[in-house]
Amino acid sequence: MVTISLCMIVRNEEEVLGRCLDSVQAAADEIVIVDTGSEDQTKEIAERYTKKVYELPWADDFAGARNVSFYKASMDYCMWIDADDLISPPELERLLRWKKQADGTADAVM
């Protein structure tokens, strides 16, 4: 079975982050969260799901922040979603089936 690092960049997402992570955590073998300066409880919520929570000062560079999260990832594949995204139960099941059947040769999965 292949493994997945869920990589996220967040800032002031306390209202939606828990819901997002609840919807996808079953598929994530690792969760990596890069916080770019939250002033609410986002970081504390993230720490309920993972110890891999990093702070990065915002430099007006989404790609740079995303790349930091990828750099911290250690699984076979990186998956990214925004904090206000949800993975529906049917899509989660499809992702879990793919993980079991995948042989690790795919460069990307959409």
Side-chain angles (χ1 to χ4, degrees):
M1 179 176 357
V2 298
T3 56
I4 295 176
S5 295
L6 173 62
C7 300
M8 299 178 71
I9 56 173
V10 298
R11 183 172 184 193
N12 295 332
E13 301 287 0
E14 71 179 5
E15 293 184 18
V16 295
L17 182 59
R19 183 182 66 195
C20 172
L21 291 171
D22 284 342
S23 80
V24 71
Q25 72 178 346
D29 299 284
E30 168 182 70
I31 298 173
V32 177
I33 298 181
V34 174
D35 186 280
T36 60
S38 290
E39 298 171 343
D40 61 6
Q41 297 297 306
T42 297
K43 186 175 173 192
E44 290 79 6
I45 293 167
E47 289 171 342
R48 293 181 203 152
Y49 293 85
T50 182
K51 292 180 180 181
K52 293 189 172 195
V53 178
Y54 304 94
E55 292 184 38
L56 178 71
W58 181 241
D60 201 27
D61 183 1
F62 284 100
R66 180 89 57 217
N67 286 337
V68 169
S69 72
F70 292 161
Y71 178 77
K72 302 287 187 182
S74 64
M75 299 295 142
D76 299 323
Y77 289 90
C78 292
M79 173 182 178
W80 73 90
I81 59 176
D82 292 331
D84 59 349
D85 290 336
L86 294 173
I87 305 298
S88 69
E91 291 305 313
L92 179 61
E93 287 303 316
R94 286 182 63 202
L95 181 57
L96 292 170
R97 278 195 311 272
W98 173 80
K99 281 182 65 173
K100 289 178 184 175
Q101 297 169 355
D103 62 6
T105 59
D107 291 329
V109 178
M110 300 290 289

